Amino acid sequence: MNETLSVLNNRMSLRRYKDKPISEEHLEQILYSTMRAPTAGNMMLYSVLVIKDKEKIKRLSSTCDNQAFIAKAPLVLIFLADMQRWTDYLHHCDIEDFCKEKEMEYNGPNNADLFLSISDTMIAAQNAVIAGESLGVGSCYIGDIMENYETHKVMFNLPDKVFPIGMLCLGYYPEKLKKTLIPRFNKEYIVFDEKYKRLSSEEFDDMFKHLNENLNPNNSFGARNIGQLMYSRKFGAPFFKEMERSVKVIMEHWNK
Amino acid sequence: MNETLSVLNNRMSLRRYKDKPISEEHLEQILYSTMRAPTAGNMMLYSVLVIKDKEKIKRLSSTCDNQAFIAKAPLVLIFLADMQRWTDYLHHCDIEDFCKEKEMEYNGPNNADLFLSISDTMIAAQNAVIAGESLGVGSCYIGDIMENYETHKVMFNLPDKVFPIGMLCLGYYPEKLKKTLIPRFNKEYIVFDEKYKRLSSEEFDDMFKHLNENLNPNNSFGARNIGQLMYSRKFGAPFFKEMERSVKVIMEHWNK
């Protein structure tokens, strides 16, 4: 296995960090690799916020579903899907007049830009993760940054056509950490040849067997299987309702 | 610079491939690294289609905005945002009864799952890119896979809560390729400290200076600057209208 595959395959979500700031050199290397990520039409439909302010990071630990470990991250990067910069630039380029002249309709951002921007942004974020990992800087994605849009909009001065889609907590691996890689589902249930396959009951039982075997029968949700547990903890949980609400507002602003 | 940073920083979009199939060993390594990508709650809200069938790849070259080079890719991976698997599994787990019993409301996928799934999917896709690159397998993202949803739905047997968000053409680098890395915008316009900054007219002029200097004054769009050119070639182009239409249908199916 080459060094890069080893970095990719041994990366874990790190939620405990060495009490040491990320060096400027390492931060620069992470940001450089981030910006070298592939991007649709070389347009870079994203922006990155570098957050070092301890008060802000502390506040993020509560706005992002009250996860205490976030407050201890030496560095946070917020990845913003961004069509504001292009919208402003097009305006700067007299796009309205140009379109009138060419008998084209001018429309602002729509859901196609939205999907492309999210893609661009997360591709870049993953380059940051891999670059960091190769430098001994571990990371943890925080999807909860999609919650509480209105709060984050004020905190980070976000205009309508910019929103946080991903966040990374970053810090050096602590000494004496026992690295544990969480098993993924079996490949046969995730990767398909030539066309998609919906899974049968038997396949689901096999796919989730390792998780169901370890299910605590006295779990606080009264869940009798992993589906019920995951619904209680994720898709049906209060933070997910908040995410749903927040994303709706994000989309209204984007399409304004 | 370590080996991983060198892979990240020297990757280019490859649109011409050696006439040689990807070895099974390399494909396995790429897929393994893909599945080791970080994923929200270890839920893997994506699926991957491995496309080797030459007829299918040829057809994709026309459904994805008629890009002839796609037809010559030895391998195509289609990255699907997928809430169908979890929706089916929750049903398999009697989630409806469980929710009734616990006086919870059961709702299917919404736009929060949608954003999370797209994120999960593109994070995984970028691991495939990096793994491939480290093995001498170049790649090119095709965002146009979001177009023509109805056609791809039939071609790939996609149920409602699964859709293509990204596609990769993959192939070995050809001999004697002169690698060219396209410059990105300056960091000061993409990365911000602590909070977002909208750019001024002067900043835009500086940001786009290198592109405007090379603008062909006789370009076929009659564009007088890069904003007008990019609107003509991208945001306002027919393929983008199709993407907008297609994404609208994708979202209707997802939320059904």
Side-chain angles (χ1 to χ4, degrees), chain B residues 122-154:
Chain B
M122 297 315 293
I123 290 169
Q126 185 58 6
N127 260 24
V129 164
I130 302 306
E133 194 73 13
S134 80
L135 297 164
V137 177
S139 58
C140 184
Y141 274 106
I142 309 290
D144 302 281
I145 191 68
M146 282 185 251
E147 297 155 29
N148 295 306
Y149 169 63
E150 298 86 343
T151 305
H152 296 141
K153 195 177 196 313
V154 174

Side-chain angles (χ1 to χ4, degrees), chain A residues 77-96:
Chain A
L77 296 178
I78 299 180
F79 289 85
L80 306 166
D82 187 349
M83 270 298 291
Q84 191 68 54
R85 184 168 46 235
W86 273 98
T87 304
D88 289 348
Y89 182 61
L90 291 174
H91 179 69
H92 174 69
C93 287
D94 300 318
I95 197 67
E96 298 86 351

Side-chain angles (χ1 to χ4, degrees), chain A residues 42 82 85 126 184 189, chain B residues 33 42 85 127 184 189 196:
Chain A
N42 207 27
D82 187 349
R85 184 168 46 235
Q126 184 58 8
R184 301 291 187 239
Y189 304 129
Chain B
S33 296
N42 206 27
R85 185 169 44 237
N127 260 24
R184 301 290 187 240
Y189 304 128
Y196 187 79

Side-chain angles (χ1 to χ4, degrees), chain B residues 91-126:
Chain B
H91 180 70
H92 173 69
C93 286
D94 300 319
I95 197 67
E96 298 86 353
D97 288 350
F98 176 74
C99 284
K100 215 172 281 173
E101 194 183 299
K102 301 287 172 193
E103 295 178 1
M104 289 162 74
E105 204 184 344
Y106 177 66
N107 294 312
N110 57 54
N111 287 334
D113 314 312
L114 180 82
F115 278 30
L116 268 187
S117 294
I118 296 178
S119 299
D120 252 26
T121 310
M122 297 315 293
I123 290 169
Q126 185 58 6

Side-chain angles (χ1 to χ4, degrees), chain A residues 54-90:
Chain A
K54 287 200 183 311
E55 281 310 307
K56 267 205 183 114
I57 295 177
K58 201 174 154 189
R59 193 145 172 237
L60 282 166
S61 84
S62 56
T63 61
C64 295
D65 195 31
N66 296 305
Q67 297 181 80
F69 82 90
I70 295 174
K72 298 201 170 163
L75 178 72
V76 165
L77 296 178
I78 299 180
F79 289 85
L80 306 166
D82 187 349
M83 270 298 291
Q84 191 68 54
R85 184 168 46 235
W86 273 98
T87 304
D88 289 348
Y89 182 61
L90 291 174

Side-chain angles (χ1 to χ4, degrees), chain A residues 2-252:
Chain A
N2 67 45
E3 186 189 300
T4 305
L5 293 178
S6 168
V7 170
L8 292 170
N9 297 348
N10 292 299
R11 187 262 178 196
M12 58 175 272
S13 289
L14 191 69
R15 295 185 177 82
R16 198 161 60 81
Y17 311 99
K18 193 184 267 189
D19 186 17
K20 180 187 162 187
I22 309 290
S23 75
E24 279 307 306
E25 189 196 340
H26 284 170
L27 177 57
E28 284 310 307
Q29 288 177 309
I30 290 168
L31 294 171
Y32 184 85
S33 295
T34 301
M35 289 181 55
R36 283 310 314 166
T39 159
N42 207 27
M43 296 188 290
M44 309 185 84
L45 306 175
Y46 64 88
S47 292
V48 184
L49 300 184
V50 178
I51 314 290
K52 294 179 185 170
D53 182 281
K54 287 200 183 311
E55 281 310 307
K56 267 205 183 114
I57 295 177
K58 201 174 154 189
R59 193 145 172 237
L60 282 166
S61 84
S62 56
T63 61
C64 295
D65 195 31
N66 296 305
Q67 297 181 80
F69 82 90
I70 295 174
K72 298 201 170 163
L75 178 72
V76 165
L77 296 178
I78 299 180
F79 289 85
L80 306 166
D82 187 349
M83 270 298 291
Q84 191 68 54
R85 184 168 46 235
W86 273 98
T87 304
D88 289 348
Y89 182 61
L90 291 174
H91 179 69
H92 174 69
C93 287
D94 300 318
I95 197 67
E96 298 86 351
D97 289 350
F98 176 74
C99 284
K100 214 172 283 174
E101 194 184 299
K102 301 285 171 193
E103 297 180 359
M104 288 161 74
E105 203 184 343
Y106 176 67
N107 294 312
N110 58 52
N111 286 334
D113 314 312
L114 180 82
F115 278 30
L116 268 187
S117 295
I118 297 177
S119 298
D120 253 26
T121 311
M122 297 314 293
I123 290 170
Q126 184 58 8
N127 260 24
V129 165
I130 302 306
E133 194 73 15
S134 80
L135 297 164
V137 177
S139 58
C140 185
Y141 274 106
I142 309 290
D144 301 281
I145 191 67
M146 282 184 251
E147 296 155 30
N148 295 306
Y149 169 63
E150 297 86 345
T151 306
H152 296 141
K153 195 176 196 316
V154 174
M155 269 176 87
F156 302 110
N157 197 30
L158 306 180
D160 281 338
K161 290 163 206 328
V162 177
F163 68 88
I165 177 74
M167 182 169 111
L168 287 175
C169 294
L170 295 141
Y172 292 104
Y173 275 85
E175 319 280 349
K176 293 184 198 163
L177 177 92
K178 199 179 165 298
K179 227 177 175 181
T180 41
L181 296 180
I182 303 177
R184 301 291 187 239
F185 293 116
N186 280 345
K187 187 182 150 213
E188 62 188 296
Y189 304 129
I190 305 293
V191 179
F192 305 109
D193 286 334
E194 305 295 342
K195 60 181 186 172
Y196 187 79
K197 193 178 91 171
R198 260 173 110 161
L199 304 182
S200 67
S201 290
E202 293 69 31
E203 287 168 321
F204 276 128
D205 286 337
D206 181 61
M207 178 178 171
F208 285 89
K209 193 163 176 267
H210 64 295
L211 295 174
N212 274 310
E213 279 171 356
N214 291 315
L215 177 71
N216 174 1
N218 303 315
N219 66 80
S220 60
F221 300 104
R224 291 180 294 272
N225 53 48
I226 290 297
Q228 295 176 2
L229 184 75
M230 289 301 277
Y231 191 81
S232 306
R233 287 175 49 186
K234 300 279 177 188
F235 306 112
F239 83 87
F240 220 98
K241 301 276 175 217
E242 167 50 25
M243 194 184 290
E244 186 180 345
R245 185 205 64 77
S246 183
V247 162
K248 190 162 169 274
V249 185
I250 287 172
M251 294 174 81
E252 284 163 8

Side-chain angles (χ1 to χ4, degrees), chain A residues 98 101-102, chain B residues 210-226 228-229 232-233:
Chain A
F98 176 74
E101 194 184 299
K102 301 285 171 193
Chain B
H210 63 297
L211 296 174
N212 274 309
E213 280 171 357
N214 290 314
L215 177 70
N216 175 2
N218 303 315
N219 66 80
S220 60
F221 300 104
R224 291 180 295 271
N225 54 47
I226 290 295
Q228 295 176 1
L229 185 75
S232 306
R233 286 175 49 186

